[in-house]
Amino acid sequence: MNHRIPVLLDGDPGHDDAIAWMLAATGLDIRGVSSAAGNQTIEKTTRNALRICTLLGIRAPVAMGLARPLLSEALTAPSVHGVSGLDGPALPEPDREAAHERAPEQMARLLRESAEPLTIVATAPLTNVAALLLAHPELKANIAGISLMGGGLAHGNWTPAAEFNILADPEAADVVFRSGLPITMAGLDVTEQALLYPEDFARIRAAGNPVAETVAGWLDFFFAFHRTKGYAGAPVHDAVAVCALLRPDLLHFEDWHVTVETQGAFCRGATAGDRRTAPNARVITGIDREGFAELLTEAVRTYG
């Protein structure tokens, strides 16, 4: 790819966010990074974001996101990602502090300053992105699109109906899906196919550089949880949202109208797909698993 797509990364790292950012740094033009509350508290995900950027050499500014969802109480996932939100391999201490701006304002400034529209890669609850759209609707023309990990047409993972990122802030997700912006959705329909197996961990570790060793350690930790749930490998959910920009040829896309359920005791956070209404999202439903594993393996080798 001659022209690197300019992006803003917004995530709640998180093992799969960290691997997604590793991939993004090899092929995208990262203009800004922001943390979101989700996998852990905003303080912890911000620290993780800074440490990841230090490890990977990402020099873009890092902004702390909003501390809680738009309307609901915060939801975290320590059972999946550990007490720190990124348990496992030791990481370097941050080589900088977070920016003085909060995430929505940093996003707004970077969108204004860019000579070309930016794509938002959102791999967390959509609180920061929704806050940006609500506060600065005039900047929609500066957004090329949103590639997000969240939802699922067939089922959820945190509840039978809802995937974690959407359930953590359904009102924010509703704002995003009703924004009229081009949306690419990497939901559970595809991300639970995006498995890396222990033999893939070994190939990544064999690259023999510090980033490769760390990524393999993240996969070891992530798989330890998922193995107890019956998975044969580690589903690297968030990296699919980056793959959609770098290697769309590895993916299968379908056009759907996606509505976010914000009410209900059983279905809050569900993403309902409808083919009878004009589509508002490209939903990824299939992946070349072997090609995806090779993409991540090649990415870690570039850090050698």
Side-chain angles (χ1 to χ4, degrees):
M1 185 180 294
N2 294 324
H3 173 71
R4 291 192 171 208
I5 297 171
V7 299
L8 303 175
L9 301 180
D10 184 70
D12 58 342
H15 297 79
D16 49 337
D17 303 80
I19 295 170
W21 291 3
M22 179 280 298
L23 179 61
T26 67
L28 300 176
D29 177 7
I30 301 171
R31 302 286 182 86
V33 177
S34 51
S35 61
N39 288 326
Q40 262 295 357
T41 63
I42 194 63
E43 292 79 15
K44 291 182 179 181
T45 61
T46 302
R47 175 169 167 75
N48 291 341
L50 290 165
R51 294 193 299 167
I52 292 164
C53 288
T54 300
L55 172 72
L56 300 177
I58 296 173
R59 299 310 309 163
V62 178
M64 177 183 283
L66 302 181
R68 53 166 292 161
L70 296 184
L71 296 177
S72 56
E73 294 302 315
L75 179 67
T76 59
S79 62
V80 182
H81 298 279
V83 173
S84 72
L86 194 55
D87 283 6
L91 294 175
E93 288 299 306
D95 62 3
R96 77 199 93 158
E97 295 182 353
H100 294 300
E101 297 169 299
R102 295 304 283 261
E105 290 309 312
Q106 175 172 281
M107 288 177 172
R109 178 178 58 79
L110 293 170
L111 287 166
R112 287 191 203 96
E113 291 176 352
S114 177
E116 57 189 319
L118 306 180
T119 297
I120 298 173
V121 181
T123 58
L126 291 163
T127 311
N128 293 331
V129 181
L132 166 71
L133 296 175
L134 291 169
H136 300 284
E138 76 282 0
L139 292 177
K140 284 185 181 180
N142 302 55
I143 301 172
I146 300 171
S147 186
L148 65 89
M149 189 279 135
L153 299 183
H155 58 83
N157 62 356
W158 210 253
T159 71
E163 179 273 332
F164 176 85
N165 281 347
I166 305 299
L167 180 63
D169 197 342
E171 287 78 15
D174 183 47
V175 168
V176 171
F177 277 94
R178 289 192 294 107
S179 68
L181 290 167
I183 293 172
T184 299
M185 172 177 150
L188 299 174
D189 311 283
V190 64
T191 67
E192 292 199 334
Q193 303 173 47
L195 295 171
L196 263 62
Y197 300 130
E199 55 266 34
D200 299 312
F201 308 174
R203 287 197 303 145
I204 286 172
R205 185 171 272 114
N209 62 63
V211 171
E213 184 63 36
T214 300
V215 170
W218 286 334
L219 289 165
D220 288 337
F221 185 93
F222 207 43
F223 181 44
F225 167 80
H226 285 90
R227 183 166 45 203
T228 69
K229 303 298 182 183
Y231 287 76
V236 192
H237 305 280
D238 293 338
V240 181
V242 175
C243 181
L245 299 178
L246 290 176
R247 290 290 308 276
D249 57 297
L250 296 177
L251 305 170
H252 177 72
F253 300 85
E254 297 179 7
D255 291 330
W256 285 86
H257 185 89
V258 177
T259 302
V260 180
E261 176 59 71
T262 59
Q263 306 295 324
F266 299 103
C267 293
R268 177 171 164 80
T271 43
D274 182 5
R275 279 273 173 79
R276 302 166 300 172
T277 306
N280 63 349
R282 284 195 317 161
V283 178
I284 312 172
T285 58
I287 189 168
D288 174 350
R289 193 214 71 83
E290 292 80 7
F292 178 68
E294 182 59 28
L295 176 66
L296 292 175
T297 303
E298 287 299 318
V300 297
R301 287 176 181 152
T302 68
Y303 291 92

